[in-house]
Amino acid sequence: GLDRIGATDNFFEIGGHSLLATQIVSRLRAAFGLEVGLRAFFENPTVAEQSRYLQQAGAGVGAAQIALDPVLDTIQEEFVI
């Protein structure tokens, strides 16, 4: 229900909960074909942390990194990291 969030705002501290986290993970899968585990989301609850996590998860994977680049570009356009 917030108009804007920052890259370092903690998802859970601003009102997020496990059901919303599950929906986000599902939307990442549907929109970008990314398999982000729910646990990883809980361990990286900010946009900045998720971006770093996704970069590390895709590092050295070749084609997976190429598929990840548009996602990271979108995140970086939307938020100042």
Side-chain angles (χ1 to χ4, degrees), residues 3-53:
D3 290 333
R4 187 166 171 87
I5 62 167
T8 59
D9 288 337
N10 185 299
F11 173 77
F12 300 103
E13 291 175 2
I14 61 173
H17 50 76
S18 59
L19 180 57
L20 287 175
T22 302
Q23 290 175 348
I24 291 170
V25 167
S26 177
R27 289 179 183 179
L28 284 170
R29 184 179 305 115
F32 302 108
L34 293 175
E35 292 297 328
V36 178
L38 192 55
R39 179 178 177 173
F41 191 86
F42 276 86
E43 292 173 350
N44 302 282
T46 70
V47 172
E49 290 171 336
Q50 274 297 311
S51 177
R52 281 190 291 276
Y53 169 78

